[in-house]
């Protein structure tokens, strides 16, 4: 066993308990009451870096949570790797009433609708560590931090300059953090950038990303009468904001899930023959994909395979609707207003700004008389394409092979990491998206978990990556 | 001043304080935690009748709140009047977050979105009594109870047999109470029936109803994947229950509010020339109707006036939608399920059962792959037409002229009182809907209130009605 593997193996229980410490912080960025917990999380990270002999500090981001910046001892004439991650997590609720759903039964399907344990008290069971943020993104982030411990402790210093940039607003819209990046290109300057905020292709099949979907996320509110009304007295002559909302939303998409916003598909290119060929050979089983979700099939664009729809096509999804009476029994009210959160997933080359403009015009043209609308933009991020022939991608592939014992697949991601667009524009095109999580980790949902074997493999991969990248420039 | 007017005038403050006692009971039928308050409300009513020398008791209704039955001392060869009302009230929430809506401002429009005072601690201000249930239906119910005091105390006994039948489930679906009526036709047998659960045509313009809309109310739930999913990882290939819900709901109605359920309009008759003529002469001002609601206009069937739409046409309104993430900020989730409460207002001759069947078939035919649906029926009530030439209607008109100093208009109601259908089928066609409330009382909304001058006019009218109906049979 070589030095890296031995070190990781010897320190598994330490890394496990340090990760648990990190998971106990309730750093929900979308929840204003968790602001202090986010600050404490950032301070904990700074202290952790300082303990390893790595210079670290926080920077305030106006209106947002602090970012953590850390930097290993400076080596002249060595390249610089920036490691990015986020310490904030998703809210814990599932959008459904736990009491209604669990209903005294205990079957797997139903229990997946709610947390079985405290989301902020990690529980290790059957090789999995359960906690909010375990997989997205504290576990993967800590794999890179643990790699730093190898280099600082076992090797006394790395052969490469390494910077850490960890933010606390990835889950809730981080435009201000992206502006911080644009405003601090000296501080963050780098030759390579790595992040682990994506999922492996399959268990035991690690992957590196060659593309990310973008995101355009909104909240639409329909404002109607100046108070809630009795539908018996007023129904038939008053525009009901709920009715208007469902009509507007349903006019955004056809029955196959094709988006009806004018110009939406204009910038979407067909896949290159090479990429189409790669997609064909990826071992993706549609029936087990659906079986895992407890459904027989799903709606989607007719001319594309399920895997193509998930990774290479834009989408429209409603995330939540809040309107009128939601209590027990029935209440025949015309609510004063109604709102919905929804988003488009975008693919490379689509412009979120143009889509927002076209969306706004379409909604306005369809808005019935008697109501007003407000459209808030929560997020606008372009999709990203990454060149798999870059030397750093080959270095990352070697690191993965070392850590996982298997070559990575190059895949497109379905999710968005909006800040990657900013990194590409402001810092470097040499961006490696190194997947450590699994798609089945239930990120954003209840009972999020992380496979601890992958955590340790991830630490080895991350540590090896520093060496591989340092060697690159020497070639 | 004659005896009735003098008695009411002398006892105004007593009646005011007794009504306040009644309003303090939190008898929300839709809220299971209020069950005991409903029982206490029923017991208070029984005690109140007993105090007046009127025999009274409660009857249990399986799975529902007790009904109150009371009966004045029996007179042979005199007709019987049944007085119906409900002691339960609507929930108090408005379906919107109070914190968000009031937002520190104090203008009238915004403040109408939330309660300014405790809904269960009546507040008298500028002639109005504010409390949940003040207008719907405790105030009007208590006007009839106060009339009983006149006859039992000032006249020592009425010249007519009077029964009270007061239920506690009108707001939440009272099929069991309607079954109780069918099962107790001997107990409830009557020659005439009066209820006050409708609104006057306008302030100072009392009215009697010649029609009621019916109601078919539902809750539709779309069940999708077995857990909430990340829209980046799964979007594009999974049927999103939110998307499916808005598509189904929007397919139930066209842009003019015309319902798209097959057969929906089959039983809807055009108005008779006489009724159409009556509608023309009713003094209804469309622009002030909309101005009062803070909107410029409203969606509705093109070939009908606003007033016709409100009173003579069926409708479709969504009352609440509950789905996915509704918290602060953004969460890009595909929720596991989504549900909506909605209803059709029906006009006389439409069959709610046939409509439910056709609705279910239409929804099933439109349901996309990858989701299941549940359609719960919350209410099914036919509309009712009442003959204005009935002798009791003329008697009621005289009583209104006595109490209000003005003849009533005969109008159709927009709202449903489902139990009236049952009364007509099981007890008597001689049903008088005597309006005491106003359309502007904000029933079912925040700051519900009742005009106390109408309360006292209503007591006089109710007391006079007993005399007018007793005289009828003597003719």
């Amino acid at each position: 066993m070589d030095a890296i593997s031995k070190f990781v193996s010897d320190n598994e229980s330490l890394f496990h308990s340090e990760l648990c410490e990190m998971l106990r912080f309730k750093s929900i960025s979308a929840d204003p009451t968790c602001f202090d917990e986010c600050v404490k999380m950032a301070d904990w990270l700074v202290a952790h870096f300082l303990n390893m002999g790595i210079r670290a500090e926080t920077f305030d981001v106006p209106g947002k949570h602090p970012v953590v910046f850390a930097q290993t001892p400076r080596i002249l004439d060595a390249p610089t790797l920036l490691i990015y991650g986020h310490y904030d997590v998703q809210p814990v609720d599932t959008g459904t009433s736990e009491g209604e759903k669990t209903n005294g039964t205990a079957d797997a399907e139903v229990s997946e609708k709610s947390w079985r344990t405290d989301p902020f008290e990690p529980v290790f069971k059957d090789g999995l560590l359960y906690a909010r943020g375990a997989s997205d993104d504290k576990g993967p982030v800590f794999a890179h931090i643990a790699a730093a411990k190898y280099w600082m402790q076992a090797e006394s210093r790395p052969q490469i300059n390494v910077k850490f940039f960890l933010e606390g607003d990835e889950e809730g819209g981080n435009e201000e953090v992206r502006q911080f990046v644009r405003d601090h290109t000296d501080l963050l300057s780098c030759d390579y950038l790595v992040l682990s905020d994506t999922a492996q292709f399959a268990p035991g099949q690690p992957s590196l990303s060659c593309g990310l979907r973008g995101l355009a996320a909104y909240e639409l509110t329909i404002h109607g009468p100046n108070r809630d009304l009795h539908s018996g007295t007023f129904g038939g002559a008053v525009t009901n904001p709920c009715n208007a909302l469902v009509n507007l939303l349903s006019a955004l998409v056809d029955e196959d899930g094709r988006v009806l916003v004018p110009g939406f598909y204009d910038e979407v290119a067909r896949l290159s023959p090479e990429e189409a060929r790669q997609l064909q050979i990826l071992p993706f089983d549609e029936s087990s994909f659906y079986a895992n979700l407890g459904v027989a099939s799903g709606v989607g664009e007719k001319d594309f395979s399920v895997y193509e729809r998930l990774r290479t096509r834009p989408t429209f999804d409603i995330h939540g609707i809040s309107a009128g009476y939601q209590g027990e029994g029935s209440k025949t009210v015309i609510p004063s207003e109604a709102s919905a959160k929804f988003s488009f997933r975008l693919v490379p080359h689509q412009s979120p700004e143009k889509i927002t403009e076209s969306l706004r015009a379409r909604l306005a043209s369809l808005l019935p008389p008697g109501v007003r609308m407000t459209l808030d933009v929560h997020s606008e991020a372009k999709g990203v394409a990454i060149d798999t022939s870059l030397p750093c991608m080959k270095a990352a592939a070697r690191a993965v092979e070392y850590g996982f014992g298997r070559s990575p697949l190059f895949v497109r991601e379905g999710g968005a990491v909006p800040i990657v667009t900013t990194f590409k524009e402001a810092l470097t095109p040499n961006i490696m998206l190194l997947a450590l999580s699994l798609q089945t980790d239930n990120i954003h949902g209840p009972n999020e978990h992380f496979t601890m074997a992958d955590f340790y493999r991830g630490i080895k991969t991350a540590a090896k990556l520093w060496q591989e990248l340092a060697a690159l420039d020497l070639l």
Side-chain angles (χ1 to χ4, degrees), chain A:
Chain A
M1 196 185 279
D2 77 350
I4 292 175
S5 291
K6 181 169 188 318
F7 183 83
V8 174
S9 195
D10 290 348
N11 287 282
E12 282 191 3
S13 70
L14 173 68
F15 294 145
H16 179 116
S17 71
E18 286 177 339
L19 174 56
C20 287
E21 268 187 64
M22 192 173 171
L23 290 169
R24 288 191 187 97
F25 289 94
K26 198 175 168 182
S27 50
I28 303 171
S29 51
D31 183 348
T33 67
C34 294
F35 190 89
D36 286 352
E37 279 286 298
C38 291
V39 172
K40 283 182 196 160
M41 176 79 267
D43 291 342
W44 183 91
L45 287 163
V46 167
H48 196 82
F49 284 118
L50 293 174
N51 269 335
M52 290 192 285
I54 296 175
R55 202 153 52 84
E57 62 193 305
T58 60
F59 287 85
D60 285 338
V61 179
K64 291 283 167 175
H65 305 100
V67 292
V68 174
F69 179 77
Q71 188 161 18
T72 55
R74 184 96 184 112
I75 310 170
L76 287 177
D77 303 321
T80 298
L81 167 67
L82 181 73
I83 297 170
Y84 163 80
H86 64 92
Y87 66 75
D88 65 317
V89 299
Q90 281 277 323
V92 296
D93 78 314
T94 62
T96 52
S97 156
E98 203 172 308
E100 271 177 38
K101 298 316 143 204
T102 54
N103 203 26
T105 64
D107 65 273
E109 175 177 331
V110 170
S111 63
E112 276 302 290
K113 296 192 179 183
S114 60
W115 285 88
R116 286 185 297 266
T117 58
D118 180 344
F120 295 100
E121 185 47 58
V123 170
F124 180 68
K125 197 182 165 197
D126 299 335
L128 307 177
L129 188 64
Y130 288 87
R132 170 56 86 223
S135 171
D136 179 20
D137 184 32
K138 289 177 176 177
V141 161
F142 200 77
H144 291 279
I145 296 175
K149 193 172 207 96
Y150 168 77
W151 286 105
M152 297 303 292
Q153 191 169 313
E155 302 281 345
S156 73
R157 60 187 300 168
Q159 304 142 5
I160 185 171
N161 294 299
V162 176
K163 297 172 178 176
F164 281 88
F165 178 59
L166 308 177
E167 66 147 308
D169 292 282
E170 200 273 341
E171 300 292 2
N174 59 355
E175 181 45 47
E176 294 84 349
V177 177
R178 295 165 69 186
Q179 190 55 48
F180 181 93
V181 172
R182 289 181 209 107
D183 294 344
H184 295 79
T185 49
D186 281 349
L187 181 77
L188 301 173
S189 67
C190 57
D191 302 290
Y192 307 111
L193 197 151
V194 68
L195 59 150
S196 294
D197 198 14
T198 48
Q200 300 179 56
F201 180 79
Q205 181 52 73
S207 49
L208 286 163
S209 306
C210 56
L212 281 170
R213 287 203 287 199
L215 182 69
Y218 309 93
E219 181 153 1
L220 173 65
T221 304
I222 306 297
H223 311 269
N226 53 21
R227 58 187 186 274
D228 288 356
L229 301 173
H230 186 296
S231 75
T233 313
F234 294 93
V238 172
T239 309
N240 179 330
C242 268
N243 291 31
L245 182 70
V246 303
N247 290 344
L248 287 175
L249 292 173
S250 74
L252 297 181
V253 68
D254 77 6
E255 60 182 9
D256 295 324
R258 207 172 153 83
V259 174
L260 301 177
V261 172
F264 186 81
Y265 292 95
D266 286 359
E267 267 86 30
V268 177
R270 300 291 290 195
L271 294 184
S272 68
E274 170 56 21
E275 193 167 3
R277 197 193 56 79
Q278 276 189 29
L279 280 178
Q280 293 299 325
I281 60 168
L282 288 175
F284 183 78
D285 179 0
E286 297 193 359
S287 57
S288 68
F289 171 80
Y290 285 120
N292 173 261
L293 304 177
V295 294
S297 62
V299 163
E301 288 183 284
K302 283 216 166 74
D303 298 337
F304 298 88
S305 73
V306 169
Y307 191 76
E308 282 175 308
R309 292 183 210 154
L310 289 172
R311 303 300 182 99
T312 73
R313 298 295 301 170
T315 67
F316 167 71
D317 273 303
I318 303 170
H319 308 302
I321 306 182
S322 185
Y325 183 67
Q326 301 185 35
E328 292 257 349
S330 134
K331 184 177 180 188
T332 51
V333 71
I334 297 176
S336 171
E337 63 179 43
S339 70
K341 297 179 203 278
F342 64 91
S343 75
F344 301 109
R345 295 280 164 184
L346 307 177
V347 294
H349 311 311
Q350 283 184 295
S351 156
E353 292 79 11
K354 277 171 70 175
I355 285 167
T356 297
E357 198 180 325
S358 180
L359 169 70
R360 196 182 291 280
R362 176 156 175 83
L363 291 172
S365 74
L366 294 170
L367 194 72
V371 289
R372 290 180 301 110
M373 73 169 210
T374 317
L375 182 71
D376 291 327
V377 179
H378 281 187
S379 180
E380 281 181 338
K382 272 200 200 108
V384 177
I386 296 169
D387 182 354
T388 56
S389 65
L390 292 168
C392 68
M393 288 293 266
K394 298 189 191 300
R398 287 191 295 274
V400 168
E401 199 163 349
Y402 171 81
F404 283 79
R406 188 159 182 178
S407 319
L409 288 174
F410 291 98
V411 296
R412 284 219 208 183
E413 297 302 322
V417 188
I419 203 165
V420 171
T421 312
T422 310
F423 290 146
K424 197 173 176 189
E425 288 165 0
L427 299 179
T428 177
N430 295 321
I431 299 175
M432 296 155 282
L433 290 105
L434 169 62
L436 300 182
S437 304
L438 293 177
Q439 286 170 49
T440 48
D441 286 351
N442 223 23
I443 66 168
H444 293 208
N447 305 312
E448 176 178 351
H449 55 270
F450 192 42
T451 304
M452 291 305 276
D454 283 338
F455 177 56
Y456 305 124
R457 290 183 193 119
I459 299 170
K460 289 185 220 170
T461 304
K464 189 72 173 178
L465 180 65
W466 297 20
Q467 189 176 24
E468 290 286 345
L469 292 173
L472 264 196
D473 242 28
L474 299 178
L475 288 178

